[in-house]
Amino acid sequence: MLTEEKHAIIKSLVDSSTKEELIWINGYLSGIINDTSKNKTIDHNDAIPIGKKLTIVYGTETGNSKKLATDFATKAKKKHIQTKLISLDQYRLSDLLKEELFVTVISTQGEGEPPVAAQKFYDHIHQNGFKLLNLEYAVLALGDSSYPLFCKAGEDVDEQLLKLGGKRLASILKCDVDYEAEADAWFDLLLNGLNVKLATSSQVKDKSEVIVKKPAGKTIYQGKVLTHLNLNDRGSNKETWHIEIAADSLIYEAGDSIGIVPKNNETVVDSIIQIVKADPNTLVNYKSESVTIYNLLKHKLNISNLNEKLIKRYADIIKQEITVTKIDLLALLKIYPLQDEIQFIEVLQNLNPQSPRLYTVSSSPISTEGEVHITVARDVFFVEEETKYGVCSDYLSSVNENEIIEFFVQKNKRFKLPSEDKDIIMIGPGTGIAAFRGFLYEREAIAARGRSWLFFGEQHFDSDFLYQTEIQNWEATGTLTKVNVAFSRDQKQKIYVQDRMLNNGSELYQWIQNGAYIYVCGKKDPMSLDVEKTLIQIIQQYGNKSMEDATRFLEELKDTHRYHKDVY
Ligand SMILES: Cc1cc2nc3c(=O)[nH]c(=O)nc-3n(C[C@H](O)[C@H](O)[C@H](O)COP(=O)(O)OP(=O)(O)OC[C@H]3O[C@@H](n4cnc5c(N)ncnc54)[C@H](O)[C@@H]3O)c2cc1C
Ligand SMILES: Cc1cc2nc3c(=O)[nH]c(=O)nc-3n(C[C@H](O)[C@H](O)[C@H](O)COP(=O)(O)O)c2cc1C
């Protein structure tokens, strides 16, 4: 293919090059080949220092970090940088010692924890027993500023890599839910820094403030409420709403969630406007938008759960000390009145945007095309004996049929049905039943051959057996092979799903040994923790294993994707 003359030139170049130079030449050539948009030779300033490879790792729960890291890798490759992109659960931890340029994109989950897929990496770097002397790194943290521990996992990784001897290429960027533009700009600066010289902290600003909270890169659906039904009967302590929503061109799968940005309660909004004697039509500059006071309060702002930073800001505005640490805006205004509308506008401008809340879908598109169903528990809590309701679940409890709800689909790739011939064990008390209603509709629609076992629990059989008729029909028709229910308050001694699991321990272990997939959905604490302890106990008892071996056995089920959790 080459003339003899060109072949000789290449051979001579190869023979005289070191291994590192060959790696660089390899990247350089593949850059030229892959770059179809340019028909020119590459300026050497475009390339990063000879021999240095870029590794981009991501730790994700719902896919945002993966998408961002993939976009970064695509950009880097276009710049002819030899780039490796890898998920942290696939990453060989021993490779860390060899890394040179290392970018981590990681979200925060739970209460300031790393995503499950990043846990091993996170634990590894916290062991401290090694030095990363060649490492130059940067961390992009994804989070949501309405959580108290904003971007905590990213912060931890950033600090820990520094402690281990790494050098920062740029200071950490902590991104809120509308991260795309900001993250893009950060990575562009980082790449430029790599090409010319290493970016300094001042070049890449640590910007944790958001402009407007809009979930990045998501399709927003305009859903129409078809059905709105309280699943609890008279006498129940609870309100659990079954909501069916229709939307055009809807794409989701059973096991996914939908995200909804709530509207604030009208009475609360009116009370705030009255108490400060503000004109609801006054336009206010909020971040980069101009919005009326009413629309800000109703649609845009988190007015229900102010964090310490905001309370401190409020105290600065009124020049008075405030001792409370958790409060809503209305209560704050009542206890610490403002002087005028000007002060009120300043307060509004400092409030955080409203965050979306997630709800696991309780339907399958295979069974109800064009519709998504959710199962929402109205959240009740008490502040100094006053009854309060969670913002989004309260909003969803009071929507009307035919009303339009905006939502987006939050994919959950890890919470998916296995092939139809596999057995599944589903543990889902309370609203945890949502995911399994979706699974069972799907298994029914495809006439799955695998066996299905459901554990469901609530307070009372009479008033709280959510989706009772459907569950009993599935049992009668064989879509459900086995059902165990636990109604905690129907007898003196409390009985929970984990007790039913223990009662059926031997059979449960046989199902697991036979290849069954285990799913847990619902409250993280204490339910999913107790269920996990019980699973270990059953494996220990019926598998004749030590506690350590049983724990390892469950870990292996996790690693082989046979143990899944969708807990919150
Ligand atoms: C992946 C996922 C799936 C989920 N699926 C479901 C589901 O299927 N069904 C379901 O019902 N839920 C589900 N959730 C939970 C749901 O997203 C919401 O967290 C829940 O509905 C509560 O939101 P809220 O807006 O009603 O309450 P918020 O207003 O967010 O309040 C939540 C809590 O914060 C505290 N709080 C708020 N304001 C104050 C204050 N001023 N003072 C003191 N404390 C305060 C209270 O403890 C309150 O209970 C899921 C969550 C996740 C992450
Ligand atoms: C259950 C749950 C808990 C979360 N906890 C936190 C938190 O403690 N701190 C934070 O900054 N963000 C938190 N977030 C927000 C996520 O980090 C944010 O949505 C991020 O974009 C997710 O990225 P991923 O898809 O890569 O996981 C939480 C989100 C969920 C669903």
Side-chain angles (χ1 to χ4, degrees), residues 304-305 327 357-360 375-377 379 381 390-393 568:
S304 59
N305 196 2
I327 194 163
R357 315 294 202 271
L358 297 181
Y359 295 92
T360 308
T375 312
V376 179
D379 184 54
F381 60 100
V391 177
C392 193
S393 57
Y568 39 86

Side-chain angles (χ1 to χ4, degrees), residues 60-65 107-110 112 142-144 147 149-151:
T60 190
E61 194 78 32
T62 51
N64 294 339
S65 305
S107 68
T108 295
Q109 296 295 322
L142 284 189
D144 179 337
Y147 286 89
L149 297 173
F150 177 51
C151 289

Side-chain angles (χ1 to χ4, degrees), residues 27-28 30-31 46-48 52-55 73 75-84 101 187 190-192 194-195:
Y28 178 81
S30 59
D46 275 0
I48 63 167
K52 289 209 171 172
K53 280 179 297 177
L54 174 66
T55 299
K75 265 192 183 174
K77 282 182 182 161
K78 279 199 178 138
K79 285 211 159 210
H80 321 294
I81 296 171
Q82 198 186 346
T83 309
K84 183 166 104 184
L101 304 173
F187 192 66
L190 188 74
L191 279 187
N192 287 338
L194 287 180
N195 289 336

